[in-house]
Amino acid sequence: MFKKILIANRGEIAVRVIKACREMGISTVAVYSDVDRKSLHVQMADEAVPIGPAPAIESYLNMDRIIAAARATGAEAIHPGYGFLAENSDFARRLEKEKIVFIGPNSTALELVGDKVRARQTMEKAGVPIIPGMNSIPKDISEYEVAAKKLGYPVMIKASAGGGGKGMRIVCSEQELRPGLEAGRREAKSAFGDESVYLEKYIEEPRHVEFQVLADNYGNTVHLFERECSIQRRHQKIVEESPSQALDPALRAKMGETAKKVVRAAGYNNAGTVEFLLDKNKNFFFLEVNARLQVEHPVTEFCTGVDLVRQQIRIAAGEKLSFSQKDLEQRGHALECRIYAEDATKNFLPSSGKILFLKEPKGPGVRHDCGVYSGWEVPIYYDPILAKLIVWAEDRDAACDRMLAALNDYAILGISTSISFLKDVVNHPEFRAGRTNTGFIKNHFENWGEKEKSEDKLRLALAAAAFDSINSGPSGKKVVGGTQKATVSPWQTLGHWRLGEGR
Ligand code: MV4
């Protein structure tokens, strides 16, 4: 086993990896940019190395600086977290040459799954269902026209080097195809440095269901069931859960076996996620492989009891999987809400500034994966995720109740967060009924920000009144024996008030 690991990331995921290392008796090296000098991951690691200025391209994406930091500290392996260099096959290949272990898949598999068209070819050959569409990049526009006509409109333009929704567009008619392709190519060229685009049949309001997989270096492969991630806004996931309401045991087994087939066909190892789209008739199609530990991995950890980061590290150290498929089962129901520093009433604009107060929810079945602390300043340079709130309960209804109670018990002051928006999502009757698909936010929360803004003034007035009544005795609570109890800060007894979100 490794003695020392460098974590090439920041925020809640760096903290998550550090915690796994501590449990395993592995020392940790954090890296940090100039604006992250006081960040939680830096404080928690055994050692910390500065790697450059705030812009990610000069720090967290700077391979030379990160490799130099590993050399200088004697770290034998690097955990990339998610984002940044996590799915960069050049980085994985460089580490292979440098004899530093990349805690992730081998560079060849990483390269294959990063090329969507090649991945489609490979999966089709392996007998994995793929969305009807093109399996090569044509030279001539006329070939796109022929393909689109054959597929039938609407079709979707996707970038071969894309993924996660970047560079996608829907085309509803032949007239839109040419301008769509031109714009799509331009976008792909500037975003990925590769203008290759291809067409797929457009699947309307699908569900996004993904399977967690683990593969060791000896050909042993397991799946750890699914996560449903249909609640998204502009390809940003908001709420994730396991199990999915859309699967029955037979479909789950079939998709799980298909996910393992994907892993084997790609020569993939370590942890990964196989994404599927599920259409209205419950047909499923392979979409892509996410070759990293995902943000939403804790819902799988809750339902299976497997620590995915520990497994990643064990596999990277050359150990065999210590369990097989029959040892795994899904228990109960888990939900995750992503806590973003953003203002839902200002079109979800990122919010930066100092966190003046943080009260984290606690309790049975509540997990808070947090990358921030009270007094810390949120920088503008990176993904605005602050923390994740994950709950587990015996069934979905109980998990929703637990999530709402935890969100109500959660206070972050000084910056705007997505907490109030999340409460309304989890409380929505369609969500409670399990009727989620990728159109959920657009269909039910289009004008949420405007409505929220107008209700805010009323809330402030009510909060002021609550303050007042607290100062004259805890509101709604009997004062025992006629003597007044010590004043309770409203932040300790916080219900569903929202105050001080930077407005
Ligand atoms: C699609 C699709 C419908 N039809 N492909 C989005 C993320 C990326 N991994 C692929 N994605 C999709 N691909 C076809 N042929 C729907 C999505 C999709 C989606 C699309 C619009 C709005 C939200 C979405 C959420 C998940 C998936």
Side-chain angles (χ1 to χ4, degrees):
M1 184 44 70
F2 308 118
K3 290 190 178 66
K4 194 186 274 191
I5 290 176
L6 181 144
I7 297 104
N9 215 301
R10 62 183 301 284
E12 68 84 20
I13 198 64
V15 171
R16 166 72 185 89
V17 175
I18 290 168
K19 285 186 174 171
C21 290
R22 274 198 191 164
E23 290 174 10
M24 297 172 80
I26 301 167
S27 356
T28 52
V29 181
V31 292
Y32 62 98
S33 73
D34 291 349
V35 289
D36 271 334
R37 206 159 34 89
K38 295 182 179 166
S39 290
L40 189 59
H41 75 285
V42 175
Q43 296 182 6
M44 283 187 57
D46 298 313
E47 290 169 81
V49 181
I51 50 164
I57 192 76
E58 298 180 59
S59 48
Y60 297 105
L61 289 170
N62 188 334
M63 299 183 199
D64 292 332
R65 297 296 292 269
I66 290 167
I67 291 168
R71 287 261 170 269
T73 54
E76 307 143 271
I78 296 183
H79 195 300
Y82 53 69
F84 298 129
L85 295 168
E87 293 172 272
N88 188 316
S89 58
D90 294 335
F91 184 57
R93 189 161 301 117
R94 267 197 71 178
L95 293 188
E96 285 163 8
K97 285 208 185 91
E98 304 254 359
K99 305 274 182 248
I100 298 171
V101 178
F102 177 69
I103 304 177
N106 66 83
S107 60
T108 307
L110 203 46
E111 191 167 36
L112 169 64
V113 300
D115 181 336
K116 307 302 157 195
V117 170
R118 256 184 77 208
R120 279 171 62 82
Q121 289 168 3
T122 307
M123 295 317 153
E124 186 168 53
K125 248 187 245 147
V128 171
I130 58 171
I131 302 172
M134 300 163 90
N135 281 357
S136 60
I137 306 294
K139 293 190 181 63
D140 204 275
I141 292 260
S142 66
E143 292 183 56
Y144 286 98
E145 282 168 352
V146 172
K149 201 165 265 165
K150 213 172 121 205
L151 290 169
Y153 289 93
V155 297
M156 210 166 198
I157 303 174
K158 293 189 176 184
S160 188
K166 272 179 267 164
M168 291 184 350
R169 58 182 65 225
I170 302 165
V171 176
C172 292
S173 67
E174 192 162 347
Q175 298 90 276
E176 291 173 33
L177 185 61
R178 209 169 266 265
L181 285 168
E182 279 159 13
R185 275 185 174 167
R186 260 197 317 275
E187 236 174 76
K189 176 90 186 155
S190 81
F192 315 112
D194 176 354
E195 63 165 15
S196 309
V197 296
Y198 66 103
L199 299 179
E200 275 179 7
K201 175 79 190 152
Y202 177 62
I203 315 274
E204 254 170 85
E205 298 200 338
R207 283 183 182 245
H208 175 134
V209 178
E210 57 185 37
F211 274 70
Q212 177 70 52
V213 292
L214 286 174
D216 67 17
N217 304 341
Y218 311 96
N220 302 303
T221 307
V222 294
H223 75 79
L224 294 97
F225 309 100
E226 80 279 11
R227 296 182 288 259
E228 154 103 41
C229 308
S230 295
I231 308 287
Q232 312 201 355
R233 215 192 119 267
R234 294 194 205 147
H235 303 297
Q236 178 103 286
K237 291 170 187 164
I238 296 172
V239 181
E240 301 102 341
E241 64 181 302
S242 188
S244 164
Q245 293 306 97
L247 307 190
D248 57 31
L251 184 53
R252 177 171 294 117
K254 202 165 160 205
M255 290 176 79
E257 287 310 306
T258 306
K260 290 198 277 188
K261 204 189 258 183
V262 167
V263 167
R264 293 191 197 109
Y268 191 94
N269 61 327
N270 211 283
T273 297
V274 181
E275 284 190 6
F276 296 103
L277 283 189
L278 191 63
D279 74 11
K280 290 190 170 124
N281 303 317
K282 306 254 166 129
N283 299 305
F284 68 90
F285 305 97
F286 166 77
L287 203 53
E288 57 188 71
V289 176
N290 297 139
R292 59 173 186 273
L293 177 70
Q294 287 198 278
V295 178
E296 60 270 27
H297 75 276
V299 297
T300 299
E301 295 187 322
F302 254 149
C303 290
T304 61
V306 174
D307 182 324
L308 291 169
V309 179
R310 177 190 284 262
Q311 294 304 325
Q312 281 191 297
I313 294 170
R314 290 185 70 248
I315 290 170
E319 293 185 22
K320 280 189 182 154
L321 276 179
S322 59
F323 47 84
S324 60
Q325 194 64 54
K326 65 175 178 2
D327 301 319
L328 293 165
E329 54 180 4
Q330 249 173 337
R331 270 201 62 219
H333 202 97
L335 288 172
E336 174 180 279
C337 283
R338 299 189 184 189
I339 313 300
Y340 288 111
E342 64 185 15
D343 191 340
T345 69
K346 289 187 187 134
N347 200 24
F348 298 89
L349 218 67
S351 167
S352 59
K354 196 175 206 161
I355 296 174
L356 299 174
F357 182 87
L358 174 74
K359 183 192 159 220
E360 49 180 355
K362 293 193 180 88
V366 177
R367 167 172 167 183
H368 185 228
D369 278 22
C370 182
V372 306
Y373 59 89
S374 188
W376 184 69
E377 191 128 358
V378 181
I380 55 163
Y381 292 93
Y382 315 107
D383 187 81
I385 195 164
L386 298 172
K388 301 174 318 208
L389 183 57
I390 313 103
V391 302
W392 180 91
E394 54 280 14
D395 58 40
R396 191 173 187 274
D397 242 349
C400 287
D401 290 342
R402 186 164 272 174
M403 178 59 85
L404 273 175
L407 286 167
N408 280 330
D409 200 28
Y410 196 165
I412 300 181
L413 303 182
I415 54 166
S416 299
T417 74
S418 53
I419 294 174
S420 48
F421 182 66
L422 289 164
K423 286 181 201 173
D424 286 1
V425 170
V426 176
N427 229 350
H428 196 282
E430 289 295 299
F431 181 84
R432 290 298 294 236
R435 282 191 288 272
T436 52
N437 63 47
T438 50
F440 178 84
I441 296 294
K442 195 157 47 72
N443 296 342
H444 303 298
F445 286 83
E446 188 74 302
N447 294 311
W448 186 87
E450 288 309 307
K451 198 176 125 275
E452 189 63 10
K453 239 186 279 188
S454 68
E455 285 177 10
D456 244 27
K457 284 197 182 101
L458 175 64
R459 286 205 186 83
L460 281 170
L462 285 168
F467 247 128
D468 201 50
S469 77
I470 284 160
N471 287 335
S472 57
S475 74
K477 290 177 187 120
K478 274 204 181 113
V479 179
V480 184
T483 50
Q484 190 144 335
K485 284 272 182 75
T487 301
V488 182
S489 160
W491 310 122
Q492 307 303 323
T493 58
L494 204 67
H496 52 273
W497 307 118
R498 260 163 284 152
L499 258 183
E501 288 191 320
R503 288 192 305 279

